[in-house]
Amino acid sequence: MAYKILKKEEIAPSVHRMVIDAPDVAKAAKAGQFIILRIDEKGERIPLTIADFDKGEGTVNIIFQEMGKTTKQLAKFSAGEFLEDFVGPLGTPADVRKLGTVILVGGGVGVAPAYPLAKAYSEAGNKVISIIGARNKDLLILEDEMKDASSELYIATDDGSKGHHGFVTDIMKQILDSGEEVARVVIIGPPIMMKVGAGVASPYDVEILVSLNSIMVDGTGMCGGCRVTVDGKTRFTCVDGPEFDARKVDFVELMNRLAMYRGEEAKAVEKYEEKCRCGLH
Amino acid sequence: MQELNGEKTAKAKKERTPMPEQPAEERRKNFYEVALGYTKEDALVEASRCLSCKEPKCVEGCPVNVDIPGFIKLVCEEDFAGAIEKIKGTNALPAICGRVCPQETQCESLCVLGKKGQPVAIGRLERFCADYERQQGVKVPEIPEPSGKKVAVVGSGPAGLTAAADLAKLGHKVTVFESLHKAGGVLSYGIPEFRLPKETVRQEVEYIKQLGVEFKPNYIIGRIKTLDDLCDEFDAVFLGTGAGLPSFMGIPGENFNGVYSANEFLTRVNLMKAYDPEYDTRVRLGKHVVVVGGGNVAMDAARSALRLGAEEVSIVYRRGEDEMPARREEIEHAKEEGITFRLLTNPVRILGDEKFNATAVECIKMELGEPDKSGRRSPVPVEGSEFTIPADVVVIAIGTSPNPMIFKGSEGLDQNKRGTVVADEETGATSKCGVFAGGDVVTGAATVISAMGAGKKAAKAIDEYLKEQ
């Protein structure tokens, strides 16, 4: 099987969007789900959240940041080239229904999965308040898309180069404090941001959900590599999630598990970049 | 030469011809196949031991009823092509069965020669024939007249592959849906290279493709389509989705880094080839590896860990060696390679360091009490006997159950409490019209050949069902 890359663009430094021709996945995709791809025969299987999909065109969008060897290699692909494997939709779809007001908080590339959620919550008749952030304005992604999909959009940057100078969670707190009746907060981003965000929102009478991105192999419940402790019980991110009640997630364990292959990953990147320098890739 | 063979034959009559193997000292460092396969001479000597019983018991012991004396007779006549054709008449995956079937509890256990000496090495002969054919180039099978009926097969493991091959031979248009990127199910992700080379699996799958079967990898039933969708689009459905959901022990520390389900550990090593530095998938290389469990999967995990370079690998099993469900041969191979067996021992918790890495397994000694429901004496903890084994990698190989993914969004398929599908033992028919099931999804984790047997029976029943439509 091979899956064609129809479009590729760098939407922020080292952050890329790809449109993949995958009609079966697109047809079944729902907000909150993810895919697993494999670049070539020797590649690893990596999970990426679905950033958008078009059932009519049969396409699925992915957005990724160059981090490890695989994402760095993926960034070198161009439109017209093919990926060996692209499987999905995986994960339980987000529980989207009419609730009233929903706050969506997206940090870094976590804005990518927030976008289909913003669309879905809006379509379900909710007032969607989106808060997106990044380290600086150059790294901020999907501003226009999020604006279109939300009732209100707020921006935060760590260095103050755009919007609020500070964290997305500061804005979230302000809204929760403003007396606006909020039914649900959904936080997606780096685990530390989700942990902090969950802590900030916890004292309020509001449902808090997070969408986790664990290490996994198959994505169908077979390996158990993505296990996470939720409410004292071991759950599999791939099938029981990726969305969980933020108040019950053991974030410390999550972060520790995400670090499992960090040493090996760094070596793989080094080896890959050495090869690239030598012109082997 | 004739005389020499005769002499060899006479000597060998009581004892079977040994299987050439890589020496333990060498093979524990590589992933190449342990058993090297019979030479033509070995095969002729071994085949000559068969008495060609008029009422062969061995055939009854084979879940797919291979004509064993028939193919062995052809081996004796050096008609190896005829022999493999005879086997393939009932068994679509002989190269696999010849390697991983537990013949000692099936065909070979019923061989008349076994009463006074050793039974004929049926499995080794089957493997010889299959390998001979693959060396010569597999004959392209004849594709029969299309029946006009379409059958969906979910899962491309041994049950699904067998059902697909048999249904295709009957003229039905078969589509196999596989959730992973490669066909083969447990043959691809579970059983290690050194026991079942993946090239062998690929070639067997290739043969089934040549029968006209279409494979759809990366296609998850329960996500892309539901079982109900398949019922609408196909004339019949066969579920061979196996038992892919790993069980954990539920003990403290099980989520420490370095603790794997056997499924994950083996998938990383086998399907994703983590042992090969050319491949990107990683697996933690342990110095001290503890594998929990006593089945074939535990042996596979332990022997894989050893080959990845572990200094010490222990199997921790709560009962005694006699109670171990693994094949005798696998236990012996593991011992020869230097795996430590810690029997009557059960983990109570996994210890870890401040960086969340596993460091040791705390165990308790067990003693055997009264027999339980399975007839095996159930282990009871010996109070105060706790001790720790250093372990930076721990593999939990205590069993699997069916993956519930397949049931998502469909109705009317009865399951029992363990999550397995309720299906007729003879036909594989389920409570849902037109849906048949077989293999581990029905029985819970069992053997490759029993899954193949179920796939075979279901294919026959599906064919009858389609004729009635």
Side-chain angles (χ1 to χ4, degrees), chain A residues 15-86:
Chain A
V15 179
H16 307 265
R17 170 162 52 201
M18 274 182 180
V19 181
I20 311 292
D21 182 28
D24 289 328
V25 185
K27 219 168 159 185
K30 289 196 174 75
Q33 291 187 297
F34 63 95
I35 57 94
I36 282 182
L37 65 80
R38 197 172 67 127
I39 290 177
D40 54 31
E41 177 54 34
K42 291 179 179 168
E44 59 181 341
R45 293 169 63 101
I46 61 159
L48 288 171
T49 42
I50 293 175
D52 200 4
F53 50 89
D54 186 325
K55 291 181 195 289
E57 294 289 320
T59 58
V60 175
N61 292 14
I62 50 169
I63 290 177
F64 61 92
Q65 185 167 19
E66 293 179 46
M67 300 276 280
K69 188 251 174 184
T70 301
T71 44
K72 282 182 189 296
Q73 194 183 350
L74 190 59
K76 292 205 161 52
F77 277 68
S78 317
E81 292 187 285
F82 291 85
L83 300 177
E84 183 81 16
D85 297 296
F86 192 85

Coordinates of all heavy atoms in Angstrom, one line a residue, chain A residues 15-86:
Chain A
V15 N 7.5 23.2 11.5 CA 6.2 22.6 11.6 C 5.5 22.5 10.2 O 5.5 23.5 9.5 CB 5.3 23.4 12.5 CG1 3.9 22.8 12.7 CG2 5.9 23.6 13.9
H16 N 5.1 21.3 9.9 CA 4.7 21.0 8.5 C 3.2 20.5 8.5 O 2.8 19.8 9.4 CB 5.6 20.0 7.8 CG 7.0 20.3 7.9 ND1 7.6 21.0 6.9 CD2 7.9 20.1 8.8 CE1 8.9 21.2 7.2 NE2 9.1 20.7 8.4
R17 N 2.5 20.9 7.4 CA 1.2 20.3 7.2 C 1.3 19.5 5.9 O 1.8 19.9 4.9 CB 0.2 21.4 7.1 CG -1.2 20.9 6.6 CD -2.3 21.8 6.8 NE -2.0 23.2 6.3 CZ -2.7 24.3 6.7 NH1 -3.6 24.2 7.7 NH2 -2.3 25.4 6.2
M18 N 0.7 18.3 6.0 CA 0.6 17.4 4.8 C -0.8 17.0 4.6 O -1.6 16.8 5.6 CB 1.4 16.1 5.0 CG 2.9 16.2 4.7 SD 3.6 14.6 4.9 CE 5.3 15.1 4.5
V19 N -1.2 17.0 3.3 CA -2.5 16.5 3.0 C -2.3 15.1 2.3 O -1.6 15.0 1.4 CB -3.3 17.5 2.0 CG1 -4.6 16.9 1.6 CG2 -3.4 18.9 2.6
I20 N -2.9 14.1 2.9 CA -2.7 12.8 2.5 C -3.9 12.2 1.8 O -5.0 12.4 2.3 CB -2.3 11.8 3.7 CG1 -1.2 12.5 4.5 CG2 -1.9 10.4 3.2 CD1 0.2 12.6 3.9
D21 N -3.7 11.5 0.7 CA -4.8 10.8 0.0 C -5.1 9.5 0.7 O -4.3 8.6 0.5 CB -4.4 10.6 -1.5 CG -5.5 10.0 -2.3 OD1 -6.6 10.2 -1.9 OD2 -5.1 9.2 -3.2
A22 N -6.1 9.5 1.5 CA -6.5 8.3 2.3 C -8.0 8.2 2.5 O -8.5 8.5 3.5 CB -5.8 8.3 3.6
P23 N -8.7 7.9 1.4 CA -10.1 8.0 1.4 C -10.8 7.1 2.5 O -11.8 7.6 3.1 CB -10.5 7.5 0.0 CG -9.3 7.4 -0.8 CD -8.1 7.4 0.1
D24 N -10.3 5.9 2.7 CA -10.9 5.1 3.7 C -10.9 5.7 5.1 O -11.8 5.7 5.9 CB -10.2 3.7 3.8 CG -10.6 2.9 2.6 OD1 -11.7 3.0 2.0 OD2 -9.7 2.1 2.1
V25 N -9.7 6.3 5.4 CA -9.5 7.0 6.7 C -10.4 8.2 6.8 O -11.1 8.5 7.8 CB -8.0 7.4 6.9 CG1 -7.8 7.9 8.3 CG2 -7.1 6.2 6.7
A26 N -10.4 9.0 5.7 CA -11.1 10.3 5.7 C -12.6 10.0 5.9 O -13.3 10.7 6.7 CB -10.9 11.0 4.4
K27 N -13.1 9.0 5.2 CA -14.5 8.7 5.3 C -15.0 8.4 6.7 O -16.1 8.7 7.1 CB -14.8 7.5 4.4 CG -16.1 7.5 3.6 CD -16.0 6.4 2.5 CE -17.4 6.1 2.1 NZ -17.4 5.0 1.1
A28 N -14.2 7.7 7.5 CA -14.6 7.3 8.8 C -14.1 8.2 9.9 O -14.5 8.1 11.0 CB -14.0 5.9 9.0
A29 N -13.3 9.2 9.6 CA -12.6 10.0 10.6 C -13.6 10.9 11.3 O -14.6 11.4 10.8 CB -11.6 10.9 10.0
K30 N -13.4 11.1 12.6 CA -14.1 12.0 13.5 C -13.2 12.8 14.3 O -12.0 12.4 14.5 CB -15.1 11.2 14.4 CG -16.2 10.5 13.7 CD -17.3 10.1 14.7 CE -18.5 9.5 14.1 NZ -18.3 8.1 13.6
A31 N -13.6 13.9 14.7 CA -12.8 14.8 15.5 C -12.3 14.1 16.8 O -13.0 13.3 17.4 CB -13.5 16.0 16.0
G32 N -11.0 14.3 17.1 CA -10.4 13.7 18.3 C -9.7 12.4 18.0 O -9.1 11.8 18.9
Q33 N -9.7 11.9 16.7 CA -9.0 10.7 16.4 C -7.6 10.9 15.8 O -7.3 12.0 15.5 CB -9.9 9.9 15.4 CG -11.2 9.3 16.1 CD -11.9 8.4 15.1 OE1 -12.4 8.8 14.1 NE2 -12.1 7.2 15.6
F34 N -6.9 9.8 15.7 CA -5.5 10.0 15.2 C -5.2 8.9 14.1 O -6.1 8.0 13.9 CB -4.5 9.9 16.3 CG -4.5 8.6 17.1 CD1 -3.6 7.6 16.8 CD2 -5.4 8.4 18.1 CE1 -3.5 6.4 17.5 CE2 -5.3 7.2 18.8 CZ -4.4 6.2 18.5
I35 N -4.1 9.0 13.5 CA -3.6 8.0 12.6 C -2.2 7.5 13.0 O -1.6 8.1 13.8 CB -3.5 8.5 11.1 CG1 -2.6 9.7 11.0 CG2 -4.9 8.9 10.6 CD1 -1.2 9.5 10.7
I36 N -1.8 6.4 12.4 CA -0.4 6.0 12.6 C 0.2 5.9 11.2 O -0.5 5.3 10.3 CB -0.3 4.6 13.3 CG1 -0.5 4.9 14.8 CG2 1.0 3.9 13.1 CD1 -0.5 3.6 15.7
L37 N 1.4 6.4 11.0 CA 2.0 6.3 9.7 C 3.4 5.6 9.8 O 4.0 5.6 10.9 CB 2.1 7.6 9.0 CG 3.0 8.8 9.6 CD1 4.4 8.5 9.2 CD2 2.5 10.1 9.0
R38 N 3.8 5.1 8.7 CA 5.1 4.6 8.6 C 5.7 5.0 7.2 O 5.0 4.9 6.2 CB 5.1 3.0 8.6 CG 6.4 2.3 8.9 CD 6.2 0.8 9.1 NE 5.8 0.2 7.9 CZ 6.4 -0.9 7.3 NH1 7.4 -1.4 8.0 NH2 6.0 -1.4 6.2
I39 N 6.9 5.6 7.3 CA 7.4 6.3 6.1 C 7.8 5.2 5.1 O 7.4 5.3 3.9 CB 8.6 7.1 6.5 CG1 8.2 8.3 7.3 CG2 9.4 7.5 5.2 CD1 9.3 9.2 7.7
D40 N 8.6 4.2 5.5 CA 9.0 3.2 4.6 C 9.2 1.9 5.3 O 8.9 1.8 6.5 CB 10.3 3.6 3.9 CG 11.4 4.0 4.8 OD1 11.4 3.4 6.0 OD2 12.2 4.9 4.5
E41 N 9.7 0.9 4.6 CA 9.8 -0.5 5.2 C 10.6 -0.5 6.5 O 10.3 -1.3 7.4 CB 10.4 -1.4 4.1 CG 10.7 -2.8 4.5 CD 9.5 -3.5 5.1 OE1 8.3 -3.3 4.6 OE2 9.6 -4.4 6.0
K42 N 11.6 0.4 6.6 CA 12.4 0.3 7.8 C 12.0 1.3 8.8 O 12.6 1.4 9.9 CB 13.9 0.6 7.4 CG 14.5 -0.6 6.6 CD 15.9 -0.4 6.2 CE 16.3 -1.6 5.5 NZ 17.6 -1.5 4.8
G43 N 10.9 2.0 8.5 CA 10.4 3.1 9.4 C 9.7 2.6 10.6 O 9.2 1.4 10.7
E44 N 9.6 3.5 11.6 CA 8.8 3.1 12.8 C 7.4 3.6 12.6 O 7.1 4.4 11.7 CB 9.4 3.7 14.1 CG 9.4 5.3 14.0 CD 10.1 5.9 15.2 OE1 10.1 5.3 16.3 OE2 10.5 7.1 15.1
R45 N 6.4 3.0 13.4 CA 5.0 3.5 13.3 C 4.9 4.6 14.3 O 5.2 4.5 15.4 CB 4.1 2.3 13.7 CG 4.1 1.2 12.7 CD 3.4 0.0 13.2 NE 2.0 0.3 13.5 CZ 1.0 -0.1 12.7 NH1 1.2 -0.8 11.6 NH2 -0.3 0.2 13.0
I46 N 4.5 5.8 13.8 CA 4.3 6.9 14.7 C 2.8 7.4 14.6 O 2.2 7.5 13.6 CB 5.3 8.1 14.4 CG1 5.1 8.7 13.0 CG2 6.7 7.7 14.7 CD1 5.6 10.1 12.9
P47 N 2.3 7.7 15.8 CA 0.9 8.2 15.9 C 0.9 9.8 15.7 O 1.8 10.5 16.2 CB 0.4 7.9 17.3 CG 1.7 7.8 18.1 CD 2.8 7.5 17.2
L48 N 0.0 10.3 14.9 CA -0.2 11.7 14.7 C -1.7 12.0 14.7 O -2.5 11.3 14.1 CB 0.4 12.2 13.4 CG 1.9 12.2 13.2 CD1 2.3 12.5 11.8 CD2 2.5 13.3 14.1
T49 N -2.1 13.1 15.4 CA -3.5 13.4 15.4 C -4.0 13.9 14.1 O -3.2 14.5 13.3 CB -3.8 14.5 16.5 OG1 -2.8 15.5 16.4 CG2 -3.8 13.9 17.9
I50 N -5.2 13.6 13.8 CA -5.8 14.1 12.6 C -6.1 15.6 12.7 O -6.8 16.0 13.6 CB -7.1 13.3 12.3 CG1 -6.8 11.8 12.0 CG2 -7.9 14.0 11.1 CD1 -8.0 10.9 11.8
A51 N -5.5 16.4 11.8 CA -5.6 17.9 12.0 C -6.8 18.4 11.2 O -7.3 19.5 11.5 CB -4.3 18.5 11.5
D52 N -7.2 17.6 10.2 CA -8.4 18.0 9.5 C -8.7 16.8 8.5 O -7.8 16.0 8.3 CB -8.2 19.3 8.7 CG -9.6 19.9 8.3 OD1 -10.6 19.4 8.7 OD2 -9.5 20.9 7.5
F53 N -9.9 16.7 8.0 CA -10.2 15.7 7.0 C -11.3 16.2 6.1 O -12.1 17.0 6.4 CB -10.6 14.4 7.7 CG -11.7 14.5 8.7 CD1 -13.0 14.5 8.3 CD2 -11.4 14.7 10.0 CE1 -14.0 14.6 9.3 CE2 -12.3 14.9 11.0 CZ -13.7 14.8 10.6
D54 N -11.3 15.7 4.8 CA -12.3 16.0 3.9 C -12.9 14.8 3.3 O -12.2 14.1 2.5 CB -11.6 16.9 2.8 CG -12.7 17.5 1.8 OD1 -13.6 16.7 1.5 OD2 -12.5 18.6 1.3
K55 N -14.1 14.4 3.7 CA -14.7 13.2 3.3 C -14.9 13.1 1.8 O -14.8 12.1 1.2 CB -16.0 12.9 4.1 CG -15.7 12.6 5.5 CD -17.1 12.4 6.3 CE -16.9 12.5 7.8 NZ -16.1 11.4 8.4
G56 N -15.3 14.3 1.2 CA -15.6 14.4 -0.2 C -14.3 14.1 -1.0 O -14.3 13.4 -2.0
E57 N -13.2 14.8 -0.6 CA -12.0 14.7 -1.4 C -11.2 13.4 -1.0 O -10.3 13.0 -1.7 CB -11.0 15.9 -1.0 CG -11.6 17.2 -1.5 CD -11.5 17.3 -3.1 OE1 -10.5 16.9 -3.6 OE2 -12.5 17.8 -3.7
G58 N -11.6 12.8 0.1 CA -10.9 11.6 0.6 C -9.5 11.9 1.1 O -8.6 11.1 1.0
T59 N -9.4 13.1 1.8 CA -8.0 13.4 2.3 C -8.0 13.6 3.8 O -9.0 13.9 4.4 CB -7.6 14.8 1.6 OG1 -8.5 15.8 1.9 CG2 -7.4 14.6 0.1
V60 N -6.8 13.4 4.3 CA -6.6 13.6 5.8 C -5.4 14.5 5.9 O -4.4 14.3 5.3 CB -6.4 12.3 6.5 CG1 -6.0 12.5 7.9 CG2 -7.6 11.3 6.3
N61 N -5.5 15.5 6.8 CA -4.4 16.4 7.1 C -3.7 16.0 8.3 O -4.3 15.6 9.3 CB -4.9 17.9 7.3 CG -5.4 18.5 6.0 OD1 -5.7 17.8 5.0 ND2 -5.6 19.8 6.0
I62 N -2.4 16.1 8.3 CA -1.6 15.9 9.5 C -0.7 17.1 9.6 O -0.3 17.7 8.7 CB -0.7 14.6 9.4 CG1 0.1 14.5 8.1 CG2 -1.6 13.3 9.6 CD1 1.1 13.4 8.1
I63 N -0.4 17.4 10.9 CA 0.5 18.5 11.2 C 1.6 18.0 12.2 O 1.2 17.3 13.1 CB -0.2 19.7 11.8 CG1 -1.1 20.4 10.7 CG2 0.8 20.7 12.4 CD1 -1.9 21.5 11.1
F64 N 2.8 18.1 11.8 CA 3.8 17.6 12.7 C 5.0 18.6 12.9 O 5.3 19.4 12.0 CB 4.3 16.2 12.2 CG 5.0 16.3 10.9 CD1 6.3 16.4 10.7 CD2 4.2 16.1 9.7 CE1 6.9 16.5 9.5 CE2 4.8 16.2 8.5 CZ 6.1 16.4 8.3
Q65 N 5.7 18.4 14.0 CA 6.9 19.2 14.3 C 8.1 18.3 14.1 O 8.0 17.2 14.6 CB 6.7 19.8 15.7 CG 7.8 20.8 16.0 CD 7.5 21.5 17.3 OE1 6.7 21.1 18.1 NE2 8.2 22.6 17.5
E66 N 9.1 18.8 13.6 CA 10.4 18.0 13.5 C 10.9 17.9 14.8 O 11.3 18.8 15.5 CB 11.4 18.7 12.6 CG 11.0 18.8 11.1 CD 12.0 19.5 10.3 OE1 13.2 19.3 10.4 OE2 11.6 20.4 9.5
M67 N 10.9 16.6 15.3 CA 11.4 16.4 16.7 C 12.4 15.2 16.6 O 13.6 15.4 16.8 CB 10.3 15.9 17.6 CG 9.2 17.0 17.7 SD 9.6 18.2 19.0 CE 9.2 17.3 20.5
G68 N 11.9 14.0 16.3 CA 12.8 12.9 16.2 C 13.2 12.6 14.8 O 13.0 13.3 13.9
K69 N 13.8 11.4 14.7 CA 14.4 11.0 13.4 C 13.2 10.9 12.3 O 13.4 11.4 11.2 CB 15.1 9.7 13.5 CG 15.9 9.3 12.3 CD 15.2 8.1 11.6 CE 15.9 7.8 10.3 NZ 15.2 6.7 9.5
T70 N 12.1 10.3 12.7 CA 11.1 10.0 11.8 C 10.4 11.3 11.3 O 10.2 11.5 10.1 CB 10.0 9.1 12.4 OG1 10.6 7.9 12.7 CG2 8.9 8.8 11.4
T71 N 10.2 12.3 12.2 CA 9.5 13.5 11.8 C 10.5 14.4 11.0 O 10.1 15.1 10.0 CB 9.0 14.3 13.0 OG1 10.0 14.3 14.0 CG2 7.7 13.7 13.5
K72 N 11.8 14.3 11.3 CA 12.8 15.0 10.5 C 12.8 14.4 9.0 O 12.9 15.2 8.1 CB 14.2 14.9 11.1 CG 14.3 15.9 12.3 CD 15.7 15.8 12.9 CE 15.8 16.6 14.2 NZ 15.6 18.0 14.0
Q73 N 12.7 13.1 9.0 CA 12.8 12.5 7.7 C 11.5 12.8 6.9 O 11.5 13.0 5.7 CB 12.9 11.0 7.9 CG 13.3 10.2 6.6 CD 13.3 8.7 6.9 OE1 13.3 8.2 8.0 NE2 13.4 7.9 5.8
L74 N 10.4 12.8 7.6 CA 9.1 13.0 7.0 C 9.0 14.5 6.4 O 8.5 14.7 5.4 CB 8.0 12.9 8.1 CG 6.5 12.9 7.7 CD1 6.2 11.8 6.7 CD2 5.6 12.8 8.9
A75 N 9.7 15.4 7.1 CA 9.8 16.8 6.7 C 10.4 16.9 5.3 O 10.2 17.9 4.6 CB 10.5 17.6 7.7
K76 N 11.3 15.9 4.9 CA 12.0 16.0 3.7 C 11.1 15.5 2.5 O 11.5 15.7 1.3 CB 13.2 15.1 3.7 CG 14.3 15.7 4.7 CD 15.7 15.3 4.3 CE 16.8 16.2 4.8 NZ 16.7 16.4 6.3
F77 N 9.9 14.9 2.8 CA 9.1 14.5 1.7 C 8.4 15.7 1.1 O 8.1 16.7 1.7 CB 8.0 13.5 2.3 CG 8.5 12.1 2.4 CD1 9.5 11.8 3.3 CD2 8.0 11.1 1.6 CE1 10.0 10.5 3.5 CE2 8.5 9.8 1.7 CZ 9.5 9.5 2.6
S78 N 8.0 15.5 -0.2 CA 7.3 16.5 -1.0 C 6.0 16.0 -1.5 O 5.8 14.8 -1.6 CB 8.2 17.0 -2.2 OG 9.5 17.1 -1.8
A79 N 5.2 16.9 -1.9 CA 3.9 16.6 -2.6 C 4.3 15.7 -3.8 O 5.2 15.9 -4.5 CB 3.2 17.8 -3.0
G80 N 3.4 14.7 -4.0 CA 3.6 13.8 -5.1 C 4.3 12.5 -4.6 O 4.3 11.5 -5.3
E81 N 5.0 12.5 -3.5 CA 5.7 11.3 -3.0 C 4.7 10.5 -2.1 O 3.6 11.0 -1.8 CB 6.9 11.7 -2.2 CG 8.0 12.3 -3.1 CD 9.3 12.5 -2.3 OE1 9.4 13.5 -1.5 OE2 10.2 11.7 -2.5
F82 N 5.1 9.3 -1.8 CA 4.2 8.4 -1.1 C 4.7 8.0 0.3 O 5.9 7.8 0.5 CB 4.0 7.1 -1.9 CG 3.3 7.3 -3.2 CD1 3.9 7.8 -4.4 CD2 1.9 7.1 -3.3 CE1 3.2 8.0 -5.5 CE2 1.2 7.3 -4.4 CZ 1.8 7.8 -5.6
L83 N 3.8 7.7 1.2 CA 4.1 7.1 2.5 C 3.7 5.7 2.4 O 2.7 5.3 1.8 CB 3.3 7.8 3.6 CG 3.5 9.3 3.8 CD1 2.6 9.8 4.9 CD2 5.0 9.6 4.1
E84 N 4.5 4.8 3.0 CA 4.3 3.4 2.9 C 3.0 3.0 3.6 O 2.2 2.2 3.0 CB 5.5 2.7 3.6 CG 5.4 1.1 3.6 CD 5.9 0.6 2.2 OE1 6.6 1.3 1.5 OE2 5.6 -0.6 1.9
D85 N 2.8 3.5 4.8 CA 1.5 3.1 5.5 C 0.9 4.3 6.2 O 1.6 5.2 6.6 CB 1.9 2.1 6.6 CG 2.4 0.8 6.0 OD1 1.6 0.1 5.3 OD2 3.6 0.5 6.2
F86 N -0.4 4.3 6.2 CA -1.2 5.4 6.8 C -2.5 4.7 7.3 O -3.4 4.4 6.5 CB -1.4 6.4 5.8 CG -2.0 7.7 6.3 CD1 -1.1 8.7 6.7 CD2 -3.3 8.0 6.3 CE1 -1.6 9.9 7.2 CE2 -3.8 9.2 6.8 CZ -3.0 10.2 7.2

